[in-house]
Amino acid sequence: MKTYLVGGAVRDRLLGLPVTDRDYVVVGATPDAMLRAGFKPVGKDFPVFLHPQTQEEYALARTERKTGRGYHGFAFDTDPSVTLEDDLRRRDLTINAIAQDDDGALIDPFAGAADLRAGILRHVSAAFAEDPVRILRVARFAARYAERGFRIAAATQELMRVMVRDGEVDHLVPERVWAEARKALAERTPSAFVHALRDCGALARILPEVDALYGVPQRAEFHPEIDTGVHVEMVLDMAARIAPGDALIGFCALTHDLGKALTPAAELPSHRRHEQRGVVPLQALAARLKVPAEYATLAELVCRLHLLAHTAFELRPKTVLELFEKLDAFRQPKRLPQFLLACAADKRGRMGMADSDYPQARYLTAVFHAALEPKAQPLLDAGLRGPELGAALRRARHKAIATAIRTRKKMGIRNLVWVLAPWVFVAITFKEWILVLDG
């Protein structure tokens, strides 16, 4: 038997990227031969083995035959007669269908290296159309390599559209959709994932709540980009910029404005109460894709409360306390910075605002730290228990927040005076010189 390094490890090496995972394909072997060599079987659908020392994956070379709809509708052939080229042919993209032998020589029957140099995501063969997951994977690779100028080949785009029209995409299982979406949200340009899915028609089938945002206008003074779908794309990329690799913040960015698709036409381009309207479609999306509770919970909080963060400087102490309580920030302190990252992405994900500041985050963080100062122990020592203890602690937090807000406002006025004072002096001096000249 002979082994070859395949897939992502070869691709990333050619791109000059770090290689973290290595997968191998084994040609001319049987499962019994692998077991005798000490490999441990782990594959369910087809034989995959772990190397006894490195624990890296070694899969027997295989071919696939379509037997039904969806991701699981395949029969696999791992006969020792299956060649390396047979195995590479059933892969999704040419850039993933490159192998490397023990001497470092490339085996590249589908010109994947050339497509890497040209920045093209191209399907290997017509067999691409047999697996709807490949639509998601192409969109995810678009998100990964968009900043390098990669584009989807026209023929591949058309094939993806045909797959959508034929209903193949409707057989995707929720777990696989979420797995690919989560990976895409952690890439550097997640908007390319959404754009690729929308271009082939899959977004309307997989994420109809997001697709419905395109063409929905917003007020130009707040959103120069106008289109809500475009805004969401910009927020996604801003989230990737300020919270790189964080799919949780990315999911909040993706879903924060779903309510704008439900704004009555007579109210457009304003979107009053969109934060409340967005909860139902968000919950539907999360339930359908079986999104983890951590993601669904934070996304709903961002959807409901992001306007409060934007207007932080105008909020009364009572409202600020209620915001912290709704976030459950006193029990889960990490919630506040996560929430504020998503809100900052929303504010900066607008045309002309990518490099703007978001001082609301610093303000709310400072006020929250003040609210953490009151402790329960002195109240317990005073004999308070149960509801009385909770009410007393809440009053102490409210007082601490009010004090912090007053202090920051005084500091703001003092700083403003220091900034304006030189200009006032110049103005007075200038006026005196004018009087002298007139005299």
Side-chain angles (χ1 to χ4, degrees):
M1 62 184 182
K2 190 172 176 76
T3 62
Y4 299 88
L5 184 66
V6 294
V10 181
R11 179 197 66 231
D12 290 346
R13 183 180 68 80
L14 292 175
L15 286 172
L17 298 174
V19 175
T20 55
D21 296 315
R22 290 174 173 80
D23 295 320
Y24 296 84
V25 66
V26 184
V27 178
T30 64
D32 287 341
M34 298 296 287
L35 293 174
R36 287 195 301 271
F39 286 80
K40 179 181 178 182
V42 293
K44 294 181 180 179
D45 297 320
F46 47 83
V48 178
F49 301 84
L50 295 182
H51 190 281
Q53 278 80 47
T54 66
Q55 300 301 302
E56 293 172 329
E57 287 192 358
Y58 286 68
L60 296 184
R62 69 184 189 270
T63 58
E64 299 172 350
R65 179 171 54 85
K66 186 73 169 172
T67 60
R69 291 280 198 173
Y71 172 61
H72 295 291
F74 290 92
F76 300 97
D77 180 9
T78 58
D79 188 85
S81 63
V82 175
T83 67
L84 175 62
E85 185 170 332
D86 291 336
D87 182 272
L88 296 177
R89 183 180 290 107
R90 56 94 189 162
R91 296 175 183 266
D92 51 7
L93 297 172
T94 60
I95 65 171
N96 297 327
I98 312 170
Q100 178 182 310
D101 66 17
D102 292 338
D103 297 324
L106 296 182
I107 298 89
D108 184 17
F110 306 104
D115 282 343
L116 276 177
R117 291 191 295 271
I120 297 175
L121 301 174
R122 189 194 314 276
H123 65 284
V124 174
S125 70
F128 178 97
E130 297 176 351
D131 185 357
V133 171
R134 289 174 172 175
I135 292 177
L136 298 172
R137 281 177 55 83
V138 170
R140 175 162 63 83
F141 278 110
R144 178 178 297 180
Y145 298 129
E147 68 171 3
R148 289 174 169 259
F150 273 65
R151 66 191 186 280
I152 302 172
T156 304
Q157 288 179 318
E158 182 56 31
L159 189 54
M160 291 163 65
R161 295 185 190 110
V162 170
M163 293 170 68
V164 174
R165 288 198 299 268
D166 289 349
E168 188 69 31
V169 74
D170 299 326
H171 295 274
L172 285 166
V173 296
E175 293 85 354
R176 197 58 193 270
V177 174
W178 170 247
E180 294 294 330
R182 181 184 59 77
K183 292 176 184 177
L185 291 170
E187 299 290 1
R188 300 182 70 120
T189 316
S191 66
F193 175 78
V194 175
H195 185 79
L197 292 180
R198 185 165 182 261
D199 181 74
C200 70
L203 189 66
R205 311 287 267 273
I206 297 170
L207 296 170
E209 299 86 355
V210 177
D211 187 71
L213 296 173
Y214 286 88
V216 176
Q218 303 167 107
R219 291 174 60 181
E221 63 268 37
F222 301 124
H223 289 277
E225 68 282 355
I226 306 294
D227 191 297
T228 306
V230 174
H231 167 59
V232 169
E233 290 185 8
M234 297 176 74
V235 177
L236 279 170
D237 290 347
M238 182 53 64
R241 173 177 162 184
I242 65 178
D246 195 331
L248 175 58
I249 305 305
F251 184 66
C252 295
L254 178 70
T255 58
H256 79 286
D257 265 353
L258 294 184
K260 289 183 177 179
L262 302 177
T263 299
E267 296 181 14
L268 295 174
S270 295
H271 290 279
R272 293 187 295 274
R273 301 187 67 252
H274 76 274
E275 62 273 29
Q276 286 81 28
R277 290 190 178 109
V279 172
V280 170
L282 171 53
Q283 291 176 340
L285 184 158
R288 186 176 68 253
L289 298 188
K290 301 181 181 180
V291 173
E294 179 189 12
Y295 285 73
T297 299
L298 184 62
E300 184 172 330
L301 289 169
V302 172
C303 179
R304 287 181 184 272
L305 304 174
H306 63 276
L307 292 189
L308 287 178
H310 296 341
T311 57
F313 299 118
E314 305 164 24
L315 300 181
R316 295 175 299 169
K318 178 175 179 291
T319 307
V320 173
L321 175 59
E322 290 172 348
L323 172 61
F324 296 154
E325 290 172 338
K326 289 173 181 176
L327 291 171
D328 199 18
F330 293 111
R331 292 194 306 170
Q332 302 186 61
K334 69 176 184 179
R335 277 269 183 86
L336 181 63
Q338 290 173 331
F339 169 75
L340 293 174
L341 277 171
C343 293
D346 174 36
K347 197 68 175 181
R348 294 173 60 184
R350 310 180 190 202
M351 189 176 294
M353 298 186 66
D355 296 317
S356 61
D357 191 18
Y358 193 65
Q360 293 93 327
R362 294 190 298 276
Y363 174 78
L364 287 172
T365 300
V367 173
F368 179 65
H369 286 159
L372 290 174
E373 287 301 316
K375 307 298 181 185
Q377 191 58 49
L379 302 175
L380 287 168
D381 294 342
L384 296 180
R385 298 291 186 274
E388 289 184 346
L389 172 63
L393 184 58
R394 191 172 191 273
R395 287 194 297 271
R397 287 170 173 168
H398 180 275
K399 183 178 179 180
I401 289 171
T403 301
I405 290 176
R406 283 197 303 270
T407 300
R408 292 185 69 83
K409 285 183 176 178
K410 288 179 181 177
M411 290 175 58
I413 293 172
R414 188 181 302 118
N415 290 339
L416 182 63
V417 169
W418 277 106
V419 169
L420 294 179
W423 296 102
V424 173
F425 174 78
V426 169
I428 293 173
T429 303
F430 181 74
K431 183 177 180 181
E432 291 177 347
W433 272 103
I434 293 295
L435 290 174
V436 170
L437 293 173
D438 285 346

